[in-house]
Amino acid sequence: MRALKFAAFGCLLLLSLTGALQAAEDVSVEARRRDDALEVVCRAMLDAPLDLIWKTLTDYDHLAEFIPGMRRSRLLEWRGAVAVVEQVGEAGFLFLTFPIEVTLASTERPPYTLEVSMLKGNLKRLDGAYRIEPQAGGRMLLTWNGIVEAQSMPPLLGEIVMRSNIEDQFRGMVREIERRDALRRGQEMKQ
């Protein structure tokens, strides 16, 4: 009976992940194990201008307002081109939640690359980068490529929770970029 409940739970998790992937065509998410970590690549095609995308990615003190699961994000200090940012939130999937508290080094390489690495926190590893690539017709391809490894979660469960969390956060970033771009377009029309 216990094995049947576990199998049913596993099927429910997989179905939920499949549904999330099909929910939006403009965002793609790929995840694969890399040793004990999870590598996640998220992509979105955007019609927003480069400077607006960059300003949204680097709006450190306001990220918690639009990134799901993030309760606080604040810029602690600048070290040249590196922003030291503290973030607190939680990763969750279905009824499971895990606290996340990290301090990140966010290395700005304007206008196309923002590299992120964990300085300290309750994850084993978090490294990645946002990249903005101009495309034909003035569109922009936004990509997040990162590696994350949870510290206190079982491997399969940690993989599912982290993948779901990264996807939700990336979608939150994309929604905010699109919201800010719609506001910009509205203001231009009024002028």
Side-chain angles (χ1 to χ4, degrees), residues 8-81:
F9 177 71
C11 288
L12 180 61
L13 289 175
L14 289 174
L15 286 172
S16 296
L17 281 174
T18 302
L21 282 176
Q22 295 171 351
E25 295 175 22
D26 60 337
V27 174
S28 71
V29 179
E30 300 167 16
R32 62 184 161 273
R33 288 196 62 71
R34 196 165 172 206
D35 298 322
D36 291 334
L38 180 69
E39 181 177 16
V40 181
V41 179
C42 305
R43 292 180 186 87
M45 192 64 71
L46 300 167
D47 288 318
L50 177 62
D51 65 325
L52 184 139
I53 296 170
W54 184 261
K55 286 177 186 172
T56 307
L57 292 176
T58 59
D59 193 2
Y60 305 115
D61 287 332
H62 296 101
L63 294 176
E65 295 171 17
F66 55 87
I67 299 292
M70 193 176 293
R71 287 195 313 267
R72 184 176 70 232
S73 177
R74 67 185 181 116
L75 176 65
L76 298 177
E77 67 177 298
W78 283 98
R79 296 178 186 166

Side-chain angles (χ1 to χ4, degrees), residues 55-129:
K55 286 177 186 172
T56 307
L57 292 176
T58 59
D59 193 2
Y60 305 115
D61 287 332
H62 296 101
L63 294 176
E65 295 171 17
F66 55 87
I67 299 292
M70 193 176 293
R71 287 195 313 267
R72 184 176 70 232
S73 177
R74 67 185 181 116
L75 176 65
L76 298 177
E77 67 177 298
W78 283 98
R79 296 178 186 166
V82 177
V84 178
V85 181
E86 175 189 68
Q87 294 181 339
V88 176
E90 62 186 24
F93 186 74
L94 298 178
F95 57 87
L96 304 166
T97 59
F98 298 91
I100 295 179
E101 297 177 13
V102 293
T103 301
L104 304 171
S106 184
T107 304
E108 296 186 3
R109 301 188 192 291
Y112 300 113
T113 304
L114 181 66
E115 297 168 350
V116 178
S117 61
M118 188 176 75
L119 298 173
K120 65 180 181 175
N122 64 348
L123 295 173
K124 277 188 182 175
R125 182 176 177 192
L126 174 61
D127 295 297

